[in-house]
C-alpha cells in the first residue's frame, strides 16, 4: 500500500519534470509552420469545444473503477489504468486522423480535448472525487491547462495556483457562484491559447498524408500521458491535503 510519503515524493517528481524530449523535438521541427496555422485557428472554436464538452460529466467512464478510493496505491493504479486506456483510444484516433493529412488532422482536436476532459474526470473519480458542480469543472480545466503547457516555469506557477485552491480537507476552496463563470472564461482562454500554440504545432506532421498517421498517433498518446500525469498530481494533492 502506498504511503503518504511515497505519494509526496511522486508529487515532487512531477513538479521537477520538464516537457518531454519527444514533445520539444516535434515542436522545434514544426514550429514555423505550426505557429502560422495556429494563429489562423480562432480561439473561439476551441473555447466553444471546451465549454460545451466538459458539462457532460455523466458520460460512461473510460474504465470502471473497482477499488476503495481510501487506498492511495489502488487509486493511483486505477488512474494509471485510465490513462493507458485514454492513450490507446487517442493514439488510434490520431493515427486515423493523420491518414488523409490536413483534411482530417484539424478535426481530431475536438475529439482529443473531449477525451482529455473525460480522462481527467475519471482520474478524479479514481481518487474519490465525483467531479459534480461548477467548482469541480473549473478544477478540471485548470488540470487541462497544466497538461497543455510546454514552459516549465509557467507550469510551476499554475501548479502553485492549483495547490492554493485546495482546502484543508481536500475539497476545493469555495468561489461565489457569480464569480465562477468569469474564472472559467479566463482558464478556457488560457487553455485555448496553450492548445493553439503547442498541441496544434505538434500536429503539423499530420498534414502529410500517411506519414501523418504515425505522427498523429504519437502526439495524441503523448498528450494523454501528460493529461494523466497532471490529473494524478492534482487529485493526489487533494488526498494528501485531507490526510494532513
Amino acid at each position: 500500500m502506498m504511503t503518504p510519503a511515497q505519494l509526496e515524493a511522486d508529487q515532487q517528481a512531477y513538479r521537477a519534470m520538464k516537457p518531454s524530449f519527444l514533445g520539444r523535438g516535434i515542436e522545434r521541427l514544426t514550429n514555423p509552420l505550426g505557429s502560422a496555422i495556429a494563429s489562423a485557428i480562432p480561439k473561439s472554436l476551441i473555447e466553444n469545444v471546451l465549454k460545451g464538452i466538459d458539462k457532460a460529466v455523466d458520460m460512461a467512464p473510460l474504465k470502471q473503477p473497482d477499488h476503495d478510493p481510501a487506498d492511495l496505491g489502488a487509486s493511483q493504479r486505477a488512474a494509471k489504468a485510465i490513462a493507458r486506456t485514454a492513450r490507446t483510444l487517442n493514439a488510434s484516433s490520431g493515427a486515423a486522423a493523420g491518414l488523409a493529412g490536413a483534411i482530417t488532422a484539424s478535426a481530431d482536436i475536438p475529439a482529443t480535448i473531449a477525451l482529455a476532459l473525460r480522462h481527467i474526470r475519471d482520474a478524479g473519480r479514481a481518487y474519490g472525487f465525483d467531479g459534480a458542480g461548477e467548482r469541480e469543472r473549473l478544477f478540471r480545466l485548470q488540470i487541462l491547462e497544466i497538461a497543455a503547457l510546454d514552459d516549465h516555469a509557467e507550469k510551476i506557477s499554475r501548479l502553485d495556483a492549483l495547490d492554493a485552491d485546495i482546502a484543508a480537507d481536500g475539497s476545493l476552496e469555495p468561489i461565489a457562484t457569480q464569480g465562477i463563470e468569469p474564472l472559467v472564461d479566463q482558464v478556457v482562454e488560457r487553455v485555448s491559447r496553450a492548445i493553439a500554440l503547442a498541441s496544434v504545432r505538434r500536429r503539423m506532421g499530420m498534414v502529410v498524408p500517411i506519414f501523418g498517421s504515425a505522427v498523429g498517433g504519437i502526439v495524441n498518446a503523448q498528450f494523454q500521458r501528460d493529461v494523466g500525469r497532471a490529473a494524478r498530481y492534482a487529485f493526489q494533492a487533494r488526498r494528501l491535503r485531507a490526510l494532513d
Side-chain angles (χ1 to χ4, degrees):
M1 184 170 180
M2 180 169 282
T3 66
Q6 290 172 318
L7 210 60
E8 184 58 48
D10 192 55
Q11 298 293 88
Q12 293 307 315
Y14 176 73
R15 291 180 68 92
M17 188 180 295
K18 300 290 181 66
S20 68
F21 174 79
L22 175 62
R24 286 181 281 121
I26 290 177
E27 184 169 338
R28 283 196 297 270
L29 181 66
T30 63
N31 183 56
L33 180 60
S35 294
I37 292 187
S39 65
I41 296 176
K43 287 203 305 294
S44 60
L45 174 65
I46 299 177
E47 288 174 3
N48 289 336
V49 170
L50 284 166
K51 285 190 172 182
I53 289 173
D54 197 47
K55 290 184 178 179
V57 295
D58 56 346
M59 291 182 293
L62 292 170
K63 193 172 182 63
Q64 191 68 46
D66 57 357
H67 68 284
D68 179 2
D71 184 335
L72 300 180
S75 294
Q76 188 183 77
R77 288 191 295 273
K80 288 182 176 180
I82 290 164
R84 286 193 296 271
T85 300
R87 288 199 304 270
T88 299
L89 290 172
N90 212 187
S92 299
S93 71
L99 280 173
I103 296 173
T104 54
S106 61
D108 188 52
I109 295 174
T112 295
I113 295 172
L115 183 59
L117 288 168
R118 195 173 169 191
H119 179 175
I120 294 167
R121 178 211 61 184
D122 288 356
R125 290 177 176 175
Y127 285 93
F129 302 103
D130 65 10
E134 287 297 295
R135 187 65 185 85
E136 292 282 352
R137 177 179 170 229
L138 176 59
F139 191 71
R140 287 194 296 277
L141 290 171
Q142 289 176 282
I143 294 169
L144 182 60
E145 179 190 10
I146 290 166
L149 291 173
D150 284 325
D151 182 86
H152 187 251
E154 192 171 0
K155 168 190 162 184
I156 294 300
S157 174
R158 297 302 180 204
L159 287 173
D160 288 343
L162 181 141
D163 288 339
D165 282 344
I166 301 173
D169 62 355
S171 63
L172 299 174
E173 293 288 357
I175 298 174
T177 303
Q178 64 270 26
I180 287 182
E181 198 57 37
L183 287 175
V184 168
D185 288 341
Q186 291 172 24
V187 176
V188 164
E189 197 280 332
R190 292 199 305 263
V191 174
S192 301
R193 183 170 63 247
I195 290 175
L197 295 178
S199 297
V200 175
R201 281 205 299 263
R202 294 178 187 179
R203 292 167 186 275
M204 292 320 302
M206 292 172 69
V207 302
V208 182
I210 307 303
F211 171 74
S213 178
V215 173
I218 291 170
V219 168
N220 280 6
Q222 177 195 295
F223 180 62
Q224 293 299 334
R225 182 199 61 194
D226 292 342
V227 168
R229 286 173 172 170
R232 288 195 298 276
Y233 175 92
F235 292 113
Q236 285 177 176
R238 293 176 67 173
R239 292 300 308 272
L240 283 168
R241 192 68 58 85
L243 290 172
D244 286 345

